[in-house]
Amino acid sequence: MNQSLILISALPLLGILLYFEKKESIKGLLGVKPILSSLFVITAFLQINQYSSYQYLILVGLVLSFIGDICLIFFFHKKVFTAGLGAFLAGHVMYTIAFSRLGEVGSVMITVGTVFLLTSVVIYMRLQANLGNMRAPVLAYISIITVMVIGAASFWDHTTININCRNFVLTGALLFYISDIFVARHRFVQKEFLNRAIGLPMYYSAQFLIALSTGLI
């Protein structure tokens, strides 16, 4: 199964996933989401011939994201949702280490870091009234995904790395961050299909871009 076939397969699966999200069918989601999420893991796995620390860390992060995806199907169940946050948090730690190990301090890192630190503070302040006893887990998650984006920006500043790889990583990290805003909105502000319709395509685009970067490093 090559990259093109995987991506072609992912598009209709994403459409079916959005259909079941709109119907709020747990059975439908359990039937489709694990398959779709496994594709970004497979995408990375098929590209890796000899593991570098970057490729290993990204693959582990993708597997943890796969676990998080399954947990978030049960977003209405606080313990399972928290477990999903934990899996994604651990995945972001893997991504952050992978990006930062190859990163350099530069203008993109400084600019992106400033913008996203301020954005994260505003988002948390807007959410905290609705978080209840989820404040600590959400704060931890917002913190690590912000650091992950900054790590991706530092990765982009390493100009000797393949430009497509750097673009995939930074774009993927930004899309991931934005998609999580819609996850938070769905869970803590207003539950509606619009959150899924916007957030899920961004999320899967992010994961596939990050997975594809493993073949360009």
Side-chain angles (χ1 to χ4, degrees):
M1 183 182 291
N2 59 31
Q3 296 174 14
S4 298
L5 183 57
I6 290 174
L7 295 175
I8 290 170
S9 301
L11 288 173
L13 286 171
L14 177 59
I16 296 169
L17 178 66
L18 289 170
Y19 171 80
F20 285 127
E21 286 283 359
K22 188 174 179 61
K23 295 293 185 180
E24 298 184 341
S25 170
I26 301 299
K27 288 184 179 179
L29 294 175
L30 285 171
V32 176
K33 199 171 189 180
I35 298 172
L36 178 55
S37 294
S38 71
L39 292 182
F40 55 66
V41 178
I42 294 170
T43 297
F45 181 77
L46 291 179
Q47 293 185 100
I48 301 173
N49 295 317
Q50 184 174 357
Y51 282 88
S52 66
S53 58
Y54 176 86
Q55 292 166 325
Y56 176 78
L57 288 164
I58 294 299
L59 185 58
V60 173
L62 291 167
V63 171
L64 288 165
S65 295
F66 171 85
I67 294 169
D69 279 335
I70 306 307
C71 291
L72 291 191
I73 293 174
F74 306 96
F75 71 90
F76 50 84
H77 192 293
K78 187 173 294 185
K79 289 185 178 179
V80 179
F81 182 83
T82 303
L85 282 184
F88 276 115
L89 190 149
H92 286 315
V93 170
M94 297 298 105
Y95 291 165
T96 300
I97 296 171
F99 302 154
S100 299
R101 281 169 60 92
L102 298 174
E104 294 185 356
V105 175
S107 58
V108 173
M109 176 187 172
I110 293 169
T111 301
V112 169
T114 301
V115 170
F116 279 83
L117 281 171
L118 293 173
T119 301
S120 294
V121 169
V122 172
I123 289 171
Y124 183 72
M125 290 177 65
R126 294 286 298 272
L127 286 176
Q128 63 177 339
N130 300 321
L131 297 179
N133 61 6
M134 290 290 290
R135 288 185 180 185
V138 171
L139 178 59
Y141 187 85
I142 290 175
S143 298
I144 189 58
I145 194 170
T146 304
V147 174
M148 187 272 287
V149 170
I150 295 170
S154 75
F155 184 91
W156 198 96
D157 276 321
H158 191 155
T159 55
T160 62
I161 296 174
N162 178 290
I163 184 62
N164 289 328
C165 182
R166 290 188 286 139
N167 286 338
F168 281 10
V169 164
L170 184 55
T171 303
L174 296 176
L175 287 173
F176 210 141
Y177 183 99
I178 297 169
S179 72
D180 276 341
I181 293 174
F182 289 96
V183 173
R185 185 176 185 272
H186 193 80
R187 176 63 176 82
F188 299 113
V189 180
Q190 183 173 351
K191 179 177 172 292
E192 60 179 340
F193 176 66
L194 180 64
N195 298 316
R196 299 304 202 209
I198 298 174
L200 282 172
M202 286 186 172
Y203 167 75
Y204 280 103
S205 296
Q207 293 285 39
F208 277 108
L209 286 170
I210 292 170
L212 288 167
S213 76
T214 61
L216 300 171
I217 193 69

